Amino acid sequence: MLEIKNLHVAVEGKEILSGINLTVNAGEVHAVMGPNGSGKSTLSHVLAGKEGYEVTKGSILFKEKSLLDLEPEERAGEGVFLAFQYPIEIAGVNNVYMLKAALNGIRAYRGEPELSSVQFLKMVKDKVKAVGLDEGLLNRQVNSGFSGGEKKKNEIFQLSVLEPTLAVLDETDSGLDIDALKAVADGVNKLRIATRAFIVVTHYQRLLDHIVPDFVHVLSQGKIVRTGDKELALTLEERGYDWLAEENLV
Amino acid sequence: MTDVLSELLPPSESRHSLSEPDWLHEKRQEAGQAVKELGFPNSGIETWKYTSLHRLKKVDFRPAEIADSTADTTVMPKLEIDNSKEKTVIFINGFFREDLGTYKNTVAGIKIEPLYNNSNMLEKNQEFISSYSNDAFAALNLAGFSDGISIEVDDNALISETIRLVFIGEHRDPLLRNIKNIIQLGQNAQLRLIEEYRSGVSDFGLTNVSTNIVLQEGARLNHHRLQNEAISSSQIAKIVASVEANASYNSDSIVLGGQLTRLEIDVALTGERATCRLNGLFSGSGEQHIDHHTTVRHQVGDTHSEELYRGILDDKSRGVFNGKVVVEKDAQKITAKQASNNLLLSRTAEIDTKPELQIYADDVKCAHGATIGQLDSAALFYLRSRGISEQKARALLIFAFAEEIINTIPVDNLRSNLERRFIGHNQMSELKSEAC
């Protein structure tokens, strides 16, 4: 589904990613771990198409299309979704309205008819319960005045409505207490299906207790330095990242 | 070329009625003389520092005549009127067209007439009509006004129907339309008034309008002013309002159209507990120029004012906001709030915004703030990453910026019109009502 080959990315002339190779198939959950500054968020942003990143080498194929040639909204149309580390507060834009515009934007991209308001609202009401988001937040302005947990739940709720085939969760655990973390992870687990892949970007292993990955990749200085299964995450939890860096030097 | 403002004066024989009172005739002559002496305001005058009239000077205007009021109505802009809630009063090229409006003088408590035929109103307002101080366009207005509206609301009359004044400009020739309006609400009277300016797409005219508003004790006027003329028309307008004790003046100025629009609002709060709320929303593109100069005069204590202006400027458009607040000596316990927020959508757009406080009392609460920003790129990316096109994402964010003002407009028709204008369709209101 996703094939990243020899990806090099620079920000303002400074190389952040230095040759990433990663293949993700439908139904898989890949964890990308790494210390601060290793390039985890850069990878998430480049997948979603954020401006300010210069791809100097390499390619990203998503369902055989070059993702790098697409605008952010086209990537969403193709089925890519990024759950933000810091969801943006947008004063004056209603949460449900934004989501309806998003879903209909994606449907239009795919040549599907728009959903009517009635159809849309019925679907939304079912899904908001499933992710445990307070229904009252639906009609609030996007993320405005939401707690940290509510913001992250709102991201997962959007994921559930937009039904992407590739969901990238960028440090979804950051700033969450353990109850909120469990609730968000439960929401994600309900959305794991055979046709959907996840890339879970995280600094800490604790999220992976709840969203159990098929593969764990360790990112360091812009490269994937180790790939393993969920046991690798536990080792990292025990020993930190330094031993890997040292091992690589040897 | 109209290098000299006095070239815009009408020839004195072209008055459409000879029944004009002598005093008015004399005042017009005087004002004409003043126009000759004052000339076009230039950037050396502080209040005209940021607004250049050079484009107006290039146009060969001629004063509108009564014959221009019969312009072809089939090419007029389409007006979306809700006849069940609104009564219309229509002017064409500065002349009253009784036949086109739906308002008839049968509503109890209110009388609406063309000003020029109302010798009683002219007489009663001699002082206002005759004054222009050093304002060249006010003098031009006095010297040349063709007509305008006179609205009188009786004491204690609560008018439930919205009155919608529509001033339409439409002519092949670039016309100068001088309009003078007088609006008076008696004690505890209430009125909702829409004052709308429209013009045909091929109109190159200049509307010069002067409006006097008097709100007696306890009266309340909600005044929604909409400048929606074609991009080729221009307008210079002045509103002078006097608000007595316990009365309130609520004004919205929405400016979307027009090549050059200049609106001066001068409100005097003359009695205790008098209040005014001045809101504005302007949206410019191309080379539009939109200038608001407001003055609020707190003449006595315990008076209150609030101002909120939002500007959205794209391309090479330019906005000007100057908000002056004057608190007279001994006018204690007053509050005055003012905010000017501006969104620049292009590198070549410009806003000049300036608060101007003159406070001669010590127990007052005055707050003012001005912001200038761009569309939030993080918000734009967030929306696009969800599948919303760039164009629509921009529209959503711009609408969000404008919405606070739009929401204060209690006229459904006008509000949904503005929503459409900003968002492209009116799913917004549809969804809002269903989702709640």
Side-chain angles (χ1 to χ4, degrees):
Chain A
M1 176 191 287
L2 179 75
E3 211 170 332
I4 303 176
K5 278 188 184 162
N6 192 30
L7 184 69
H8 290 250
V9 175
V11 176
E12 291 171 356
K14 185 173 177 260
E15 188 163 88
I16 307 290
L17 297 182
S18 313
I20 300 281
N21 292 291
L22 179 64
T23 301
V24 176
N25 297 309
E28 295 175 351
V29 174
H30 290 246
V32 173
M33 300 184 71
N36 290 330
S38 59
K40 303 189 301 287
S41 279
T42 298
L43 180 62
S44 312
H45 290 161
V46 169
L47 285 168
K50 191 174 178 179
E51 281 177 12
Y53 297 91
E54 191 193 349
V55 176
T56 52
K57 214 188 277 182
S59 63
I60 304 177
L61 287 184
F62 180 65
K63 297 183 210 162
E64 275 115 47
K65 272 187 193 162
S66 171
L67 209 55
L68 296 173
D69 295 337
L70 302 178
E71 296 293 333
E73 57 268 33
E74 294 172 327
R75 298 180 195 208
E78 292 291 338
V80 176
F81 178 89
L82 171 65
F84 281 51
Q85 179 180 4
Y86 304 108
I88 311 294
E89 298 189 9
I90 308 180
V93 176
N94 174 292
N95 215 7
V96 180
Y97 182 78
M98 181 204 75
L99 204 50
K100 182 170 178 246
L103 184 62
N104 281 331
I106 288 172
R107 292 177 70 92
Y109 179 82
R110 294 174 185 164
E112 295 164 6
E114 289 199 351
L115 283 188
S116 73
S117 293
V118 177
Q119 289 169 308
F120 177 76
L121 286 167
K122 186 180 178 308
M123 188 261 282
V124 157
K125 290 207 166 142
D126 293 341
K127 298 208 165 175
V128 76
K129 284 193 193 89
V131 297
L133 183 72
D134 176 2
E135 208 178 308
L137 297 179
L138 284 178
N139 277 313
R140 294 260 295 275
Q141 302 178 7
V142 178
N143 293 322
S144 289
F146 287 28
S147 70
E150 285 167 345
K151 282 181 183 170
K152 297 298 173 82
K153 278 186 196 170
N154 196 28
E155 296 290 286
I156 304 308
F157 164 62
Q158 292 176 15
L159 195 166
S160 74
V161 171
L162 300 179
E163 300 184 319
T165 43
L166 173 66
V168 181
L169 312 185
D170 188 8
E171 309 241 8
T172 292
D173 52 331
S174 69
L176 295 187
D177 62 33
I178 190 67
D179 292 330
L181 181 87
K182 274 187 190 162
V184 167
D186 280 351
V188 171
N189 286 328
K190 284 179 195 161
L191 297 169
R192 286 179 73 164
I193 50 173
T195 52
R196 179 175 296 145
F198 284 85
I199 296 176
V200 181
V201 173
T202 180
H203 187 93
Y204 300 105
Q205 186 270 337
R206 61 173 193 166
L207 178 65
L208 305 179
D209 283 341
H210 303 283
I211 304 174
V212 180
D214 300 304
F215 300 93
V216 174
H217 309 278
V218 181
L219 198 59
S220 177
Q221 296 180 332
K223 280 186 177 155
I224 290 175
V225 293
R226 180 70 67 100
T227 292
D229 60 11
K230 62 183 180 187
E231 299 302 322
L232 175 59
L234 291 169
T235 313
L236 287 169
E237 178 76 1
E238 268 173 41
R239 300 181 59 185
Y241 287 106
D242 291 345
W243 65 274
L244 263 178
E246 283 158 22
E247 207 169 73
N248 272 311
L249 286 175
V250 178
Chain B
M1 297 282 279
T2 307
D3 264 341
V4 184
L5 192 62
S6 57
E7 285 170 18
L8 300 183
L9 290 168
S12 49
E13 68 275 15
S14 78
R15 293 271 188 277
H16 65 280
S17 164
L18 294 172
S19 61
E20 190 164 289
D22 289 344
W23 66 267
L24 179 57
H25 188 72
E26 275 166 35
K27 292 293 177 188
R28 282 186 189 273
Q29 301 295 329
E30 270 177 47
Q33 194 55 41
V35 169
K36 284 183 185 136
E37 284 159 20
L38 291 165
F40 274 108
N42 59 46
S43 59
I45 299 170
E46 184 61 27
T47 56
W48 287 91
K49 193 172 169 185
Y50 300 105
T51 294
S52 160
L53 298 170
H54 73 276
R55 278 187 295 210
L56 289 187
K57 290 182 191 172
K58 286 181 191 158
V59 185
D60 218 353
F61 293 106
R62 74 164 171 84
E65 294 165 19
I66 190 143
D68 300 319
S69 68
T70 55
D72 182 4
T73 52
T74 58
V75 298
M76 295 292 170
K78 184 172 166 282
L79 304 174
E80 283 149 335
I81 310 266
D82 182 349
N83 280 317
S84 65
K85 291 183 185 146
E86 300 168 354
K87 290 285 176 262
T88 54
V89 176
I90 295 182
F91 281 69
I92 292 186
N93 289 326
F95 293 87
F96 179 54
R97 282 288 298 268
E98 191 174 10
D99 55 318
L100 298 178
T102 56
Y103 176 84
K104 301 285 174 267
N105 262 321
T106 52
V107 181
I110 181 168
K111 202 161 116 195
I112 302 182
E113 288 181 327
L115 178 67
Y116 197 75
N117 293 336
N118 190 336
S119 55
N120 183 32
M121 269 304 249
L122 286 174
E123 213 65 45
K124 269 202 315 197
N125 292 284
Q126 235 188 90
E127 194 186 328
F128 159 71
I129 291 169
S130 308
S131 70
Y132 49 83
S133 56
N134 277 328
D135 182 334
F137 281 98
L140 181 64
N141 183 279
L142 169 57
F145 77 90
S146 55
D147 205 347
I149 201 72
S150 139
I151 298 179
E152 288 173 283
V153 183
D154 297 345
D155 288 354
N156 304 309
L158 310 178
I159 308 303
S160 57
E161 280 179 303
T162 300
I163 304 299
R164 185 163 176 171
L165 308 175
V166 189
F167 295 91
I168 299 172
E170 168 62 49
H171 209 282
R172 280 191 313 273
D173 299 344
L175 294 183
L176 170 65
R177 300 176 276 261
N178 286 304
I179 296 166
K180 197 178 276 297
N181 300 317
I182 294 180
I183 298 158
Q184 295 186 338
L185 271 62
Q187 291 184 11
N188 302 312
Q190 290 187 14
L191 176 67
R192 168 161 295 146
L193 181 70
I194 301 174
E195 180 187 355
E196 182 176 1
Y197 292 84
R198 301 287 290 266
S199 67
V201 287
S202 56
D203 181 78
F204 290 87
L206 168 64
T207 300
N208 179 25
V209 51
S210 166
T211 301
N212 188 45
I213 295 171
V214 177
L215 306 182
Q216 291 184 4
E217 284 190 21
R220 180 191 186 93
L221 176 65
N222 290 323
H223 184 191
H224 312 288
R225 194 178 194 283
L226 180 62
Q227 153 60 317
N228 205 4
E229 291 181 335
I231 208 78
S232 48
S233 307
S234 291
Q235 179 175 137
I236 291 175
K238 185 167 193 166
I239 295 171
V240 177
S242 157
V243 185
E244 297 181 4
N246 294 309
S248 53
Y249 176 54
N250 298 319
S251 136
D252 309 304
S253 166
I254 313 281
V255 180
L256 304 173
Q259 174 66 250
L260 178 143
T261 300
R262 154 90 169 197
L263 175 58
E264 264 183 78
I265 304 178
D266 191 324
V267 184
L269 302 173
T270 65
E272 286 183 358
R273 291 172 304 280
T275 62
C276 78
R277 198 202 66 212
L278 306 179
N279 283 350
L281 174 63
F282 51 96
S283 172
S285 59
E287 296 193 351
Q288 277 180 280
H289 185 105
I290 303 165
D291 176 347
H292 282 94
H293 267 70
T294 66
T295 304
V296 178
R297 302 173 196 278
H298 291 267
Q299 295 184 342
V300 299
D302 195 10
T303 51
H304 307 276
S305 67
E306 263 185 67
E307 285 181 77
L308 175 61
Y309 277 77
R310 294 232 159 133
I312 301 162
L313 298 159
D314 202 352
D315 303 330
K316 286 184 174 173
S317 63
R318 189 166 176 185
V320 179
F321 174 75
N322 191 100
K324 185 165 160 181
V325 174
V326 183
V327 181
E328 298 291 351
K329 193 163 169 284
D330 301 328
Q332 308 293 3
K333 310 271 182 210
I334 70 107
T335 58
K337 276 199 268 182
Q338 184 187 96
S340 156
N341 311 124
N342 303 282
L343 191 55
L344 297 183
L345 300 178
S346 87
R347 285 171 183 279
T348 46
E350 184 176 328
I351 175 81
D352 297 285
T353 175
K354 192 170 103 193
E356 199 182 333
L357 304 181
Q358 294 178 7
I359 300 172
Y360 304 103
D362 47 28
D363 187 9
V364 303
K365 279 188 189 155
C366 291
H368 64 86
T371 62
I372 300 170
Q374 294 160 350
L375 280 186
D376 178 358
S377 61
L380 207 52
F381 173 62
Y382 189 73
L383 294 172
R384 293 178 70 191
S385 78
R386 294 314 182 235
I388 298 170
S389 72
E390 184 179 5
Q391 191 192 7
K392 176 119 191 219
R394 288 174 69 89
L396 267 176
L397 294 177
I398 293 167
F399 181 79
F401 180 79
E403 197 183 14
E404 196 180 333
I405 307 278
I406 294 176
N407 279 347
T408 63
I409 299 172
V411 184
D412 296 347
N413 206 359
L414 201 56
R415 202 174 50 241
S416 55
N417 234 327
L418 289 168
E419 287 180 351
R420 262 201 304 280
R421 169 91 178 211
F422 282 97
I423 210 83
H425 55 77
N426 68 359
Q427 278 188 16
M428 182 69 95
S429 49
E430 171 204 329
L431 197 104
K432 265 186 201 154
S433 55
E434 283 181 40
C436 290

